[in-house]
Amino acid sequence: MTATPQWLDDEQQKLWQDLRTVVIALPTLLDRQLQRDEGISNFEYSVMARLSMTETHTMRLSDLAAQCDSTQPRLSKLMVRFEQQGWVTRCPDPDNGRYTLATLTDAGLHKVEDSAPAHVERVRQLVFDPLSAAQQRHLGAALSRIAALVREQLDGR
């Protein structure tokens, strides 16, 4: 016998629909801005930005994929394109040859630095400007809890 589903109440349904809009439409709007201004996608920017935030501009591809919520095959394909553009180099990890390191080149760092101001402005317009400081803190706390659960599920825990 199948249990009766516990349906969302009206308030939960509205929240769920708003979250779906943000999850689906926000990346599209960020992609539009980055494609128009810089010729790169939001995902591509995210990968370069992650690398740029490390001290040596270098990360293991497996760690980079996890931090960018990507699969390793998708990231590897992107790395090929980035190498062709001269934005990254790849080499075996000297500490453990089973891993590959990606390093953002000077050209890659310039690309992300050139892309950042307009991208950050668009993020501010769409995410932070509509919210008070208190609302930002509450949203941050709520999203942190949801993201932790989602990451656990993705990791198969």
Side-chain angles (χ1 to χ4, degrees):
M1 185 168 135
T2 305
T4 303
Q6 185 179 353
W7 300 110
L8 301 178
D9 64 31
D10 290 344
E11 189 173 320
Q12 290 170 328
Q13 187 62 243
K14 178 167 180 358
L15 182 120
W16 171 238
Q17 293 307 318
D18 286 347
L19 179 60
R20 285 178 49 91
T21 297
V22 169
V23 167
I24 294 167
L26 181 60
T28 300
L29 293 174
L30 295 174
D31 272 337
R32 284 182 189 166
Q33 178 271 313
L34 283 163
Q35 286 287 351
R36 180 189 68 235
D37 296 348
E38 299 296 333
I40 60 174
S41 71
N42 186 45
F43 176 67
E44 291 167 333
Y45 174 85
S46 174
V47 170
M48 286 192 286
R50 292 282 181 171
L51 287 169
S52 76
M53 290 185 261
T54 66
E55 187 176 327
T56 61
H57 302 159
T58 300
M59 291 181 72
R60 284 182 174 174
L61 285 181
S62 55
D63 295 337
L64 184 58
Q67 288 189 22
C68 293
D69 298 316
S70 175
T71 63
Q72 288 190 17
R74 179 182 185 201
L75 187 62
S76 290
K77 288 179 185 176
L78 179 62
M79 289 296 112
V80 170
R81 289 199 321 265
F82 278 7
E83 283 180 313
Q84 292 169 346
Q85 293 289 331
W87 294 340
V88 299
T89 59
R90 288 185 289 177
C91 68
D93 185 337
D95 296 329
N96 186 336
R98 294 180 299 151
Y99 295 100
T100 300
L101 298 177
T103 301
L104 195 63
T105 64
D106 288 342
L109 184 59
H110 289 305
K111 181 65 174 174
V112 76
E113 288 173 343
D114 289 346
S115 303
H119 176 67
V120 170
E121 179 58 30
R122 190 67 173 139
V123 169
R124 283 191 175 286
Q125 290 171 349
L126 294 170
V127 178
F128 295 100
D129 291 351
L131 304 175
S132 69
Q135 288 171 321
Q136 290 176 33
R137 284 190 301 277
H138 291 298
L139 178 62
L143 289 177
S144 179
R145 291 184 70 161
I146 294 169
L149 179 61
V150 169
R151 287 183 187 110
E152 284 178 19
Q153 296 288 314
L154 285 173
D155 291 343
R157 294 185 220 163

